[in-house]
Amino acid sequence: MVSKGLIILLCVFAVYSEISEDEGVWVLTDSNFEEALNLQPNILVEFYAPWCGHCKSLAPEYAKAAKKLLLNDPPIHIAKVDATVNTELAQRFSVNGYPTLKYFINKEPNDYTGGRTEDTITSWILKRSGPSVKVVDCACDIDNQVDANKVTALLIAGQDSSEGVVFDTVSKSIDGVGFIQCTSNDCAEKYGTSMPSLILFKKFDERRVDFAGSLTSSEVSAFINKNKVPSVIEFNQDAIELIFRDSNPVVFLFSVDFEPYQEWFTNLSKEYKGVLLFCRAEVASTDNGRLGQFLGLKPEAQPTALILDPKKELAKYRLDKELTEQNLRSFIENWKSNTLTSFMKSQEIPADPFDNGVRIVVAKNFEDVVMDKKKDVLLEFYAPWCGHCKSLAPEYEKLAQQLKSVNTVVIAKMDATENEVKGQEIKGFPTIRFFPANNKKGVEFDGERNAEGLLEFIKKNSYYEIAVNKVDL
């Protein structure tokens, strides 16, 4: 006779077998999503599109995190959903961009707030799946734990000590670091220290850093955050998160050949550790080329340096002298003393100011065209690669033709990847803003993205009365 337990096990296995894996990641669909949540109610799910560049960049890190999490006891699964195929799930969870990551807690969706690298994904999930600190009572248990992480914080202190409470609190606020507490004296003997003490182990730079301050939350957090980053980082996904997600100011050194600058750049990075990140990059490569475009830096400008400050609305400062140790040190000191002037990107004013009837705006003529108090101006901030912008283009050009004879209205566009204007924050493409003659602060467009919807919006918000006959083009 078949036991009840075996029947239940077979049922569970039957459900599990319907969920395929891709490099350790569960592949979910409209039909097996609920089964996955029944098996693991707390789960991270990536909603992606096969053609999405950001999704392709995330894929290898997501797969490495998945494999690492499967080694946990018990194993933890993460999943992905092709939102272009499984449209019911995409609609149900309001997926409007790619990738969208949701962390389900007891089957209820929550926004994922972690990073996009193996280490940050792993540590973020582990903190929400159990204790954020691994507590061991023997020095022999530590080596494997340290080897599993790029950065490991080891506290040697008693089980119920106040230092342990502080350590546990700090562990919940820092991603990308493994946290271990050893409660026995043999740990202190092994590492040549005493109880309580804190050591940071790293797989880069100096391999061990001993904490010398007071074991308070603020000092421990500052110590770990300061030392968890390599002295000089390369521009990659890790760097993107450190700079843009964590809002750390950074000095970039751009050069095809880093070797002539490596020694003194590394020395400066140690001198200013905790003040600035130091990052090396090369504009001509594909990934760094996008960075160069964002910063307004051409390959021919190399070698050079630039400071980017996310805490000041991504303010950019260029080194306008030869790239030497002394010049870069002076450049950093001037940034620290707030004596540098930031710059904003602009294309040159085009010889032909119109493109299919649409006025071309660049940063250099934004004030003259858009801020003209005698004109109602509709401005599209676009990106050349944006699919939604390309879809809008014929409707936008149709609108420009419809209003061609109305001399109080300007239909304009600006490539927001090549031009920046102070006070104009762009969070997505296309962004459409109307600047009527009596309100140059601008009004966000919120209608239908077609000629009719745009025209209706202009009529509703314009300062000057508009009378125009519709034309079909």
Side-chain angles (χ1 to χ4, degrees):
M1 183 177 179
V2 180
S3 70
K4 182 178 179 182
L6 179 59
I7 293 173
I8 293 173
L9 181 62
L10 290 171
C11 290
V12 170
F13 181 80
V15 171
Y16 180 81
S17 66
E18 294 177 9
I19 302 175
S20 62
E21 286 190 3
D22 180 15
E23 295 191 272
V25 180
W26 271 355
V27 180
L28 305 187
T29 64
D30 288 333
S31 60
N32 70 7
F33 192 82
E34 292 304 323
E35 285 87 345
L37 290 185
N38 287 333
L39 285 170
Q40 187 179 302
N42 297 350
I43 188 170
L44 179 65
V45 180
E46 175 205 4
F47 295 86
Y48 73 96
W51 45 259
C52 164
H54 293 301
C55 303
K56 292 176 182 177
S57 297
L58 174 62
E61 297 295 319
Y62 202 68
K64 285 187 285 187
K67 292 171 184 175
K68 193 171 184 178
L69 288 165
L70 287 174
L71 299 176
N72 191 66
D73 185 16
I76 299 172
H77 291 273
I78 61 176
K80 64 181 180 180
V81 173
D82 183 344
T84 67
V85 174
N86 301 283
T87 53
E88 287 181 20
L89 288 173
Q91 281 188 323
R92 177 179 167 188
F93 298 114
S94 303
V95 176
N96 297 314
Y98 306 110
T100 291
L101 290 101
K102 298 283 186 182
Y103 185 66
F104 290 79
I105 302 175
N106 293 325
K107 303 184 182 181
E108 292 298 321
N110 298 268
D111 289 335
Y112 170 73
T113 58
R116 296 191 180 186
T117 63
E118 174 192 357
D119 292 329
T120 52
I121 293 168
T122 302
S123 64
W124 192 93
I125 291 175
L126 288 175
K127 283 178 174 59
R128 288 151 182 82
S129 303
S132 54
V133 176
K134 178 78 172 179
V135 180
V136 298
D137 58 8
C138 174
C140 59
D141 294 330
I142 294 176
D143 291 340
N144 289 336
Q145 297 291 329
V146 170
D147 288 340
N149 302 298
K150 288 181 183 176
V151 183
T152 303
L154 170 65
L155 175 70
I156 304 173
Q159 175 78 51
D160 300 316
S161 63
S162 59
E163 293 85 6
V165 174
V166 167
F167 194 61
D168 184 66
T169 300
V170 170
S171 72
K172 291 178 169 61
S173 65
I174 298 178
D175 290 333
V177 176
F179 287 82
I180 305 172
Q181 180 181 351
C182 184
T183 60
S184 67
N185 278 313
D186 64 334
C187 289
E189 292 176 8
K190 176 176 181 177
Y191 295 107
T193 186
S194 58
M195 297 178 70
S197 60
L198 174 62
I199 306 169
L200 199 69
F201 295 98
K202 305 184 288 183
K203 292 184 177 179
F204 50 82
D205 296 346
E206 66 273 52
R207 294 300 194 262
R208 168 176 170 170
V209 185
D210 287 73
F211 179 68
S214 175
L215 285 164
T216 63
S217 293
S218 58
E219 289 199 30
V220 171
S221 292
F223 167 74
I224 295 175
N225 282 322
K226 178 180 178 180
N227 290 285
K228 72 175 184 177
V229 181
S231 298
V232 176
I233 59 176
E234 293 190 39
F235 188 73
N236 53 25
Q237 186 62 42
D238 285 331
I240 290 171
E241 293 184 1
L242 286 167
I243 297 165
F244 296 100
R245 189 196 68 182
D246 298 342
S247 296
N248 286 306
V250 58
V251 56
F252 289 102
L253 189 151
F254 290 98
S255 177
V256 176
D257 183 9
F258 181 61
E259 187 175 354
Y261 314 100
Q262 183 172 359
E263 183 177 352
W264 62 257
F265 191 67
T266 301
N267 290 337
L268 280 179
S269 73
K270 294 175 181 177
E271 184 179 334
Y272 290 98
K273 199 170 187 70
V275 177
L276 276 166
L277 296 177
F278 279 65
C279 185
R280 53 175 288 196
E282 198 276 292
V283 179
S285 70
T286 302
D287 290 338
N288 292 349
R290 296 191 189 99
L291 173 66
Q293 182 186 50
F294 171 73
L295 297 174
L297 192 69
K298 305 293 184 184
E300 54 268 24
Q302 300 179 115
T304 190
L306 181 148
I307 290 176
L308 176 68
D309 193 344
K311 294 178 180 177
K312 295 183 179 178
E313 297 182 350
L314 295 172
K316 300 180 292 294
Y317 308 89
R318 280 181 180 168
L319 176 68
D320 57 4
K321 298 179 180 179
E322 181 185 357
L323 183 57
T324 66
E325 180 178 4
Q326 184 53 48
N327 285 341
L328 188 57
R329 180 183 280 105
S330 298
F331 181 56
I332 293 171
E333 287 297 325
N334 289 336
W335 169 77
K336 286 177 62 182
S337 61
N338 293 314
T339 58
L340 295 179
T341 301
S342 63
F343 74 92
M344 305 195 91
K345 295 184 296 182
S346 179
Q347 295 172 301
E348 294 302 317
I349 298 174
D352 184 351
F354 291 92
D355 178 20
N356 288 331
V358 177
R359 181 67 190 268
I360 301 171
V361 173
V362 297
K364 289 183 177 180
N365 68 359
F366 181 90
E367 194 71 25
D368 293 335
V369 177
V370 180
M371 296 292 111
D372 185 348
K373 293 185 178 179
K374 296 180 180 178
K375 303 286 186 181
D376 294 326
V377 183
L378 184 70
L379 179 63
E380 175 202 4
F381 298 87
Y382 74 96
W385 43 260
C386 165
H388 295 301
C389 302
K390 292 175 182 177
S391 298
L392 174 64
E395 293 294 318
Y396 206 68
E397 291 164 7
K398 179 179 177 180
L399 174 72
Q401 291 298 324
Q402 289 177 334
L403 296 173
K404 188 176 181 179
S405 62
V406 183
N407 60 14
T408 58
V409 175
V410 177
I411 306 302
K413 64 180 181 179
M414 185 174 84
D415 181 350
T417 67
E418 296 286 354
N419 299 276
E420 297 172 316
V421 178
K422 189 173 182 179
Q424 299 301 319
E425 185 178 4
I426 310 301
K427 294 183 177 179
F429 298 111
T431 291
I432 304 171
R433 258 175 221 139
F434 188 49
F435 298 85
N438 63 335
N439 178 15
K440 291 303 177 178
K441 290 182 179 179
V443 181
E444 294 289 325
F445 173 71
D446 58 359
E448 292 291 325
R449 286 183 184 172
N450 54 41
E452 291 74 18
L454 290 163
L455 181 58
E456 181 182 345
F457 178 79
I458 291 174
K459 287 181 176 181
K460 177 181 176 182
N461 293 281
S462 63
Y463 175 71
Y464 297 103
E465 186 176 348
I466 294 174
V468 60
N469 293 321
K470 287 174 115 180
V471 295
D472 294 321
L473 300 177

